Amino acid sequence: MGEMTIRDIAKRCGVGIGTVSRAINNHPDINPDTKRMVMDVIRETGFVPNNSARNLKRTDARCIAVLVKGITNPFFSSAVKVIEKEVQKKKYTMVMQHVESYENELEAALELVKEKRLRGIIFLGGSYHHDKEQLSMLKVPFVFCTIGTAEETEENRAYSNIAVDDRKESMKIVDHLLKMGHRRIAIITEGAKGESVGQLRLQGYRDAHEARGITVDETLVYEVREKDDPYTMKNGYRMAKEILRSKTRFTAVFAIADHLAVGVCRALYEAGLKVPEDVSVAGFDGLAIGEYYTPQLTTISQPVERMAKETVQLLLNVISGKAAHQQIIFPGELILRESTAKPPDGDVVFEGGHQEKKVDPMNGLPLKY
């Protein structure tokens, strides 16, 4: 195992790196029990604080930090590549830091500002609501990318944000499924705790049903419980297996990320079900894997390259004083592919992973919706 880092200590303790830093530096703003726990872990592991990063603070005069909450998400990988290219064009350097899903990204940013002489910060992923006090403490210009809400509030006027309207775009794709005739649409979303894009996309799912006068069956709402990285194919696979075991009736699945949707397709295939003949599956993000997977995935595509370029340009304009904070909402695009179709004749009941069409006992014909 490599040398322990402050991030490793934070992960072991289940706290943010800012909390660990406060414990190490004997900061008064920390719960005594939390401080004791952190210091106990430090003693157990033999961790020695590394001050080498602090020694760099005088040298990074043209440095942009990118804090990524969800480093394994390929959508963010694409954004980082574009951001790095655009930053280098402007003769800046870029430093990237991974923020764990349980960490507060603002705490991580505040700690990083202490370590390095930053000109600006870009946040990829995270919460769409932020603590006002922490926002005011962050004196470096910054832009949130991909984690916004279209609703203008007093809070978000205090910072810049670039995103799609996750709620509206999710409503669009779920409404498409409803228009095709689906009435039993399961959703796989992020856990309800926290204010993430997962919750915005869940609200869009609810909006689509409400607009058509359809009551959402809460047994069709499935939340990923994985703490570290919710948007993975493995989680999509696990949650689809859970839906199948529940014997809940459904004819479509909306997964709030393409990787989740791919995992869903695999689980359905193993259960002997065909996509979209038996079950339709839709995702969100517009990742390349959705185009080359079989069947090709119906999804909402986000203009990641345009968003990343606009993020860098906006940040540099804020740094130079050419622009004030802005809320920029990009349109998503509904991409219709092979994974969605009209629902099968009759409702479908899943028994032990196999399908059984409900029929009218009087005539043997499939029951309609």
Side-chain angles (χ1 to χ4, degrees):
M1 182 176 176
E3 183 181 350
M4 291 289 293
T5 67
I6 192 171
R7 187 175 302 283
D8 296 324
I9 299 298
K11 191 169 185 178
R12 287 198 180 201
C13 295
V15 299
I17 58 175
T19 301
V20 176
S21 177
R22 287 195 292 274
I24 293 172
N25 293 303
N26 201 27
H27 196 284
D29 185 21
I30 183 173
N31 181 284
D33 292 336
T34 302
K35 178 181 178 181
R36 191 178 304 111
M37 175 186 66
V38 171
M39 298 310 293
D40 286 345
V41 172
I42 287 175
R43 280 190 291 271
E44 290 170 7
T45 59
F47 170 71
V48 178
N50 184 356
N51 292 323
S52 60
R54 287 187 174 88
N55 295 332
L56 294 173
K57 71 162 56 173
R58 301 300 175 197
T59 63
D60 299 328
R62 291 179 64 84
C63 183
I64 302 294
V66 180
L67 273 65
V68 187
K69 198 165 187 177
I71 194 70
T72 60
N73 188 331
F75 180 80
F76 290 149
S77 300
S78 301
V80 168
K81 288 179 182 178
V82 176
I83 289 171
E84 184 174 28
K85 183 178 179 180
E86 294 300 306
V87 164
Q88 289 175 347
K89 279 183 184 179
K90 303 298 183 180
K91 308 302 181 185
Y92 280 79
T93 58
M94 187 189 90
V95 59
M96 187 174 72
Q97 179 164 313
H98 174 212
V99 181
E100 299 286 357
S101 62
Y102 58 82
E103 283 187 86
N104 181 317
E105 56 269 23
L106 288 181
E107 279 190 6
L110 289 167
E111 187 61 30
L112 188 61
V113 168
K114 296 177 185 177
E115 305 289 345
K116 301 181 83 66
R117 189 180 174 191
L118 300 176
R119 296 294 297 277
I121 300 174
I122 293 172
F123 292 90
L124 285 176
S127 172
Y128 61 85
H129 280 171
H130 307 280
D131 183 85
K132 290 182 180 179
E133 184 176 345
Q134 287 184 324
L135 283 171
S136 66
M137 291 169 62
L138 196 54
K139 304 302 182 183
V140 176
F142 57 92
V143 176
F144 290 99
C145 181
T146 75
I147 52 176
T149 171
E151 297 177 7
E152 186 171 318
T153 65
E154 181 181 349
E155 176 196 317
N156 66 24
R157 283 195 294 269
Y159 58 83
S160 295
N161 177 69
I162 291 176
V164 299
D165 187 338
D166 289 278
R167 182 172 177 173
K168 178 180 177 181
E169 298 300 335
S170 289
M171 181 180 179
K172 181 192 299 182
I173 197 166
V174 174
D175 187 64
H176 169 69
L177 293 171
L178 292 170
K179 284 194 291 187
M180 295 181 83
H182 294 278
R183 292 296 180 269
R184 303 282 301 172
I185 304 170
I187 180 172
I188 297 177
T189 185
E190 193 174 357
K193 294 181 180 178
E195 294 167 321
S196 67
V197 294
Q199 293 309 300
L200 293 174
R201 294 174 189 179
L202 173 58
Q203 189 57 55
Y205 165 89
R206 295 186 185 282
D207 292 343
H209 285 78
E210 183 180 346
R212 291 186 174 271
I214 301 170
T215 301
V216 170
D217 183 344
E218 297 299 328
T219 66
L220 293 172
V221 178
Y222 285 79
E223 296 178 351
V224 175
R225 292 178 294 275
E226 182 67 35
K227 183 178 180 182
D228 290 334
D229 191 0
Y231 301 126
T232 64
M233 287 182 274
K234 181 182 289 187
N235 281 326
Y237 176 86
R238 287 173 176 171
M239 297 309 295
K241 289 285 190 181
E242 188 171 320
I243 297 172
L244 292 168
R245 285 194 299 270
S246 74
K247 301 179 183 178
T248 298
R249 296 195 303 274
F250 66 103
T251 59
V253 179
F254 169 45
I256 65 164
D258 285 347
H259 265 203
L260 287 171
V262 170
V264 169
C265 289
R266 179 64 193 183
L268 293 174
Y269 170 79
E270 289 183 3
L273 300 168
K274 295 180 180 180
V275 177
E277 292 87 346
D278 299 317
V279 181
S280 288
V281 178
F284 197 112
D285 283 335
L287 300 181
I289 190 174
E291 184 177 357
Y292 294 99
Y293 188 75
T294 301
Q296 290 181 314
L297 193 64
T298 292
T299 187
I300 291 288
S301 177
Q302 299 192 66
V304 59
E305 184 170 336
R306 289 172 56 207
M307 291 166 65
K309 286 182 177 180
E310 189 69 27
T311 296
V312 175
Q313 188 58 56
L314 177 56
L315 178 61
L316 295 180
N317 286 342
V318 172
I319 290 172
S320 65
K322 295 179 180 177
H325 290 302
Q326 297 180 46
Q327 305 291 311
I328 301 175
I329 302 298
F330 278 82
E333 181 183 1
L334 176 59
I335 306 294
L336 302 179
R337 297 197 182 114
E338 300 166 345
S339 66
T340 51
K342 292 181 179 181
D345 289 334
D347 218 347
V348 179
V349 181
F350 297 95
E351 302 285 353
H354 297 285
Q355 63 173 337
E356 174 188 320
K357 291 183 180 179
K358 296 181 69 177
V359 298
D360 189 328
M362 300 297 294
N363 56 25
L365 297 176
L367 289 173
K368 301 296 182 180
Y369 289 96

